[in-house]
Amino acid sequence: MSADSETKPIAQNLRGRFKEAVSESILQAAEDVFAEHGPDGAHVNEIAQRAGVSVGTLYNYFKDRENLLAALLGSRRDELLARLDGVLVEQAAQPFRAQLGAFLTALLEHFETHRRFLSILLLSRHEGHETIAKSGGPFATMTEIYARMEDLMRRGLDQAALRAEDAPLYPALLMGMVRGVFMRLAFNGLEVNPTATADRLVTFFLEGAGVRT
């Protein structure tokens, strides 16, 4: 085997990693600019400047602003869902309370990491925005989260940690709690400790709002 044939895969791997790094840098810059100016007010020039690339380089990765927004929405959704799937696998053997806490912590950590961008999507109405409409916007992400909550609730039922007679309500109740917390955080700009907040949500979900005696 020649030296050239040995070094070619290494060079290709390095180029691939470089492209991924540039792409993520552009997406991060786009997230910041979209969060500051909204989906219709963000400008490609500012995104490129913040990413440290030329506008031409940006267009080599994303053909226009709408394509960039669509990629950003998909990337952040995929990132969250992969994280939740990982938690569900890692926590599968744990008691239900621990599984629920880990799941909610992952959700809250994702919200905190991408708070400004997600707040724009949660608080604004984008029915007229074609790119967000095609992606499904926050609703599509919530639908995917809901499916994972259904799986999680089945685990609680299997462990007899939840009452079977109310089983159909559990995913909707948990989703309502999560949406309510996200909206409150988005509206008020409150800082949140994901683990502590998740613990409070777990206690509320499992024990209710009544005074404990």
Side-chain angles (χ1 to χ4, degrees), residues 27-209:
L27 288 173
Q28 184 57 59
E31 180 174 332
D32 293 339
V33 176
F34 281 123
E36 291 174 17
H37 303 294
D40 295 314
H43 294 289
V44 169
N45 285 359
E46 183 176 357
I47 294 171
Q49 183 179 22
R50 293 203 192 186
V53 301
S54 68
V55 174
T57 296
L58 186 150
Y59 282 131
N60 286 336
Y61 285 81
F62 306 97
K63 66 180 182 179
D64 54 31
R65 187 184 66 174
E66 298 308 307
N67 179 257
L68 176 54
L69 176 57
L72 178 59
L73 291 167
S75 172
R76 297 306 179 245
R77 180 182 302 139
D78 291 347
E79 175 187 333
L80 171 59
L81 298 180
R83 184 171 189 172
L84 294 180
D85 288 341
V87 167
L88 289 173
V89 171
E90 292 166 4
Q91 298 289 320
Q94 298 302 314
F96 176 69
R97 190 182 192 103
Q99 293 191 51
L100 180 58
F103 187 89
L104 292 173
T105 298
L107 274 173
L108 289 162
E109 286 176 346
H110 183 82
F111 180 87
E112 273 300 289
T113 300
H114 303 289
R115 172 192 284 265
R116 291 192 303 162
F117 179 63
L118 295 178
S119 294
I120 285 290
L121 296 180
L122 286 170
L123 299 181
S124 303
R125 299 182 66 85
H126 300 302
E127 290 89 342
H129 197 287
E130 184 177 358
T131 298
I132 295 178
K134 284 182 178 179
S135 75
F139 179 78
T141 302
M142 289 296 183
T143 300
E144 293 285 353
I145 294 172
Y146 188 88
R148 287 156 176 80
M149 287 181 174
E150 289 181 314
D151 179 36
L152 186 59
M153 294 303 106
R154 283 191 289 270
R155 298 181 183 190
L157 292 165
D158 290 342
Q159 291 188 14
L162 299 172
R163 295 191 305 272
E165 60 267 28
D166 296 322
L169 297 175
Y170 296 141
L173 291 172
L174 184 60
M175 177 60 81
M177 289 172 56
V178 169
R179 283 181 62 89
V181 169
F182 282 179
M183 293 297 289
R184 180 172 181 267
L185 295 174
F187 268 118
N188 298 323
L190 301 174
E191 292 188 10
V192 62
N193 180 315
T195 302
T197 303
D199 286 345
R200 292 171 66 187
L201 287 173
V202 168
T203 298
F204 185 84
F205 184 79
L206 293 178
E207 301 176 22

